[in-house]
Amino acid sequence: MDPAVSSATLAARYDAIPYDVRPHFLTHPDRLASVATFLGYAAPLPSGCRVLEVGCNDGANVIPMALSLPEATFVGCDLSPTAVAAAKATIAALGLANIELRCEDLATLDPALGDFDYIVAHGVYSWVPPAVREALLALAGRRLTPHGLMFVSYNTLPGGHVRMAAWEMLHHHVDGIADPRARMEAARALARLVAEGGPAQHAADDAMRAELRAIAERTDSQLFHDDLAVPNDPVHFRDFAAAADRHGLAFLAEAELHSMSGAGISAAARQFLSARDPLEREQYLDFVRLRRFRQSLVRRREARPSGRPLAEQLAAMHVSADASLLRAAEAGKLPDLARQLEPAERGGGQVQRLLEELVRRAPGSLPIAELAARVAAGERADSPPALDALLRDAYVGSILNLHVHPPQVATAPSTSPTANRLVRLQAGRQQDLTTQMHTWVRIPDANARRLLTLLDGTRDVAQLANALAPDWHGARAEVATFVGHALVQFGRLGLLAA
């Protein structure tokens, strides 16, 4: 890849084909602080933190954070004037005063902006020239607060080698085509041609054909800004860790802790990994998993986890059901999950009841102190539950989520239901909406989106039905029934604010 790609060239690409940005819950300060706290690392509290997002694009990730943490301060920077202008328009429409967006190069970011508790760089590191990657880590080395954290995602090797081979084919075919949409059309055509080109000559060929089939189905944003991006340089974890070390930074964990576990790999591989030091283990785990993407958290090298007992780390946190737990419940597999988490349990069913309670509360959360009290009240002498171990295993296994600052979500409609300002604004413009959990959901129904625009907390259900009726698409007699049903669904989707 060309290391001399200019900032202007990168900005022009994002202006030519808009990047499809959505909220990424792994980057939210609550998630970052929760992972750190679980590991015994004293990360800054989200409630009043200072956050920088590098490569913020149109603000789809950083703006909802600012709305959810009104006492915190947010800064976003991006090279695209078009994207930054769109973000500023959204900020103005929402009346947010705790966020500032800049069309600025990360390497020259104004020092007057100060230091940051959290720096987010999602979709940046692999997609910029080597000098900019160094500048990104240098920025974190200079501007992170003493216990601050940086989130950085990047394409990795060895799994990235299959993708790189596919990319080389595409670039050979399209690099002479100037028009972005013509490039994408030609890339998809070649990907389909090769993917269905005939029977595999070697077993390894199947992986390449599968990659090309997937490329042919990518969205414009994915294809243009990832598969056809220049630069796009996957790196070994060892090289990323060494680069971080050059700037006084050290690896803390993956934002998805389950990706650091030995789940799903052979006993021989787990035994091999157990003899390695932490950084070496991560590199060999990439080899074993053929990993192609990481979402890493780094800290200042001198700031280390405290080693506090797990019970102390969990005491002030909240817990909620992960999407995987909700899917298991829908499929009737909660008993299987409960047995996995507490295989020694004999007939008491406490673990299953706890999981069922969290499913009932979803997408809301439960204070762990309250959960502990419930467990203690139901404890049996012959089968005492180990709550700390249960939460540890369920969190690392992505069955439960932990929260330092839980989302302010109403799981059922109140007498005057409310959706936050961003949801109401988005519902008048688009189908993809940001939830209270910093995820996104698609609402294709025009009546539902119109109803969401009305949820400013000033109307009860009858008033909502009357307000919706003039724009109703369907029989008028169905309006009231629809409103009641839709509000329940909004609560389940996390679109109602507490």
Side-chain angles (χ1 to χ4, degrees):
M1 300 296 182
D2 182 2
V5 176
S6 70
S7 295
T9 300
L10 291 172
R13 289 176 185 161
Y14 285 91
D15 285 343
I17 303 293
Y19 186 63
D20 188 11
V21 185
R22 293 190 174 100
H24 188 39
F25 84 103
L26 293 179
T27 68
H28 194 282
D30 170 56
R31 175 69 182 200
L32 304 180
S34 297
V35 170
T37 301
F38 176 80
L39 296 173
Y41 184 84
L45 292 176
S47 54
C49 67
R50 302 194 76 251
V51 180
L52 168 66
E53 182 173 34
V54 175
C56 66
N57 205 273
D58 66 0
N61 189 50
V62 71
I63 291 174
M65 293 183 192
L67 186 64
S68 69
L69 296 169
E71 301 303 317
T73 302
F74 294 81
V75 175
C77 70
D78 199 275
L79 292 173
S80 168
T82 302
V84 171
K88 287 183 175 181
T90 300
I91 291 167
L94 296 173
L96 290 177
N98 63 333
I99 181 170
E100 178 181 359
L101 270 292
R102 292 184 169 227
C103 187
E104 194 167 337
D105 191 322
L106 67 91
T108 59
L109 194 66
D110 186 355
L113 292 170
D115 295 338
F116 298 95
D117 298 311
Y118 298 100
I119 295 176
V120 174
H122 182 42
V124 176
Y125 190 83
S126 286
W127 299 269
V128 293
V132 181
R133 294 200 291 269
E134 288 293 320
L136 175 63
L137 295 174
L139 174 68
R142 294 191 310 271
R143 308 289 281 277
L144 273 180
T145 56
H147 284 89
L149 291 174
M150 180 185 191
F151 171 102
V152 55
S153 63
Y154 48 103
N155 287 329
T156 55
L157 302 171
H161 281 300
V162 173
R163 302 186 72 196
M164 291 173 73
W167 298 337
E168 288 173 0
M169 294 184 202
L170 300 182
H171 281 292
H172 175 83
H173 188 57
V174 308
D175 277 355
I177 303 173
D179 179 74
R181 298 200 176 277
R183 282 170 63 85
M184 291 190 291
E185 183 179 347
R188 288 193 178 100
L190 181 68
R192 292 190 184 99
L193 181 71
V194 178
E196 309 303 332
Q201 302 298 310
H202 304 282
D205 297 348
D206 291 333
M208 179 63 66
R209 295 190 191 279
E211 184 66 34
L212 288 162
R213 279 192 291 272
I215 285 173
E217 301 303 319
R218 301 260 207 267
T219 65
D220 285 354
S221 175
Q222 292 168 332
L223 179 61
F224 191 75
H225 295 296
D226 194 14
D227 298 293
L228 295 180
V230 179
N232 184 356
D233 299 323
V235 298
H236 282 103
F237 170 77
R238 65 185 182 228
D239 296 328
F240 171 77
D245 183 70
R246 287 195 295 272
H247 298 284
L249 305 170
F251 174 76
L252 176 67
E254 288 297 293
E256 293 183 298
L257 287 176
H258 70 84
S259 68
M260 299 174 66
S261 77
I265 64 176
S266 69
R270 288 197 299 273
Q271 183 177 6
F272 175 84
L273 292 169
S274 68
R276 309 288 156 180
D277 68 49
L279 289 183
E280 190 179 27
R281 182 184 186 278
E282 287 299 308
Q283 180 57 77
Y284 277 96
L285 189 57
D286 282 7
F287 292 159
V288 172
R289 293 193 185 281
L290 300 175
R291 198 195 308 257
R292 54 173 61 189
F293 186 67
R294 273 185 173 267
Q295 301 179 90
S296 298
L297 308 185
V298 298
R299 55 173 172 82
R300 287 195 173 279
R301 190 166 50 214
E302 65 274 15
R304 298 178 179 277
S306 65
R308 289 188 306 152
L310 180 61
E312 290 183 20
Q313 298 157 25
L314 296 172
M317 299 178 77
H318 286 60
V319 60
S320 66
D322 186 79
S324 63
L325 177 57
L326 301 181
R327 289 192 295 269
E330 189 175 350
K333 295 182 178 180
L334 279 190
D336 296 336
L337 268 183
R339 282 191 292 271
Q340 291 173 23
L341 291 169
E342 189 69 24
E345 186 174 57
R346 293 189 177 93
Q350 284 191 13
V351 172
Q352 183 174 334
R353 286 195 294 274
L354 291 176
L355 297 180
E356 289 169 345
E357 175 66 14
L358 291 172
V359 169
R360 279 193 295 272
R361 285 180 176 256
S365 61
L366 181 70
I368 288 177
E370 181 181 335
L371 189 65
R374 292 187 182 198
V375 169
E379 184 174 322
R380 291 168 34 219
D382 62 333
S383 181
L387 182 60
D388 296 346
L390 166 66
L391 293 173
R392 178 197 64 213
D393 294 346
Y395 184 49
V396 172
S398 292
I399 296 169
L400 304 178
N401 290 316
L402 298 178
H403 305 277
V404 170
H405 187 94
Q408 302 302 297
V409 57
T411 58
S414 64
T415 54
S416 299
T418 304
N420 71 44
R421 287 170 285 166
L422 179 60
V423 170
R424 301 199 305 270
L425 181 68
Q426 290 175 330
R429 297 176 171 179
Q430 61 197 54
Q431 295 186 9
D432 293 349
L433 311 179
T434 302
T435 72
Q436 293 290 113
M437 297 83 68
H438 203 64
T439 58
W440 65 276
V441 62
R442 180 162 292 168
I443 305 293
D445 185 84
N447 287 323
R449 295 198 306 277
R450 170 61 181 153
L451 176 59
L452 281 165
T453 67
L454 300 172
L455 301 185
D456 60 4
T458 65
R459 301 175 178 89
D460 61 22
V461 173
Q463 290 169 324
L464 287 168
N466 289 335
L468 185 63
D471 297 316
W472 175 254
H473 300 287
R476 286 293 182 92
E478 300 172 353
V479 177
T481 300
F482 171 82
V483 169
H485 174 76
L487 290 173
V488 171
Q489 296 305 311
F490 294 161
R492 292 175 179 171
L493 294 171
L495 291 170
L496 299 180

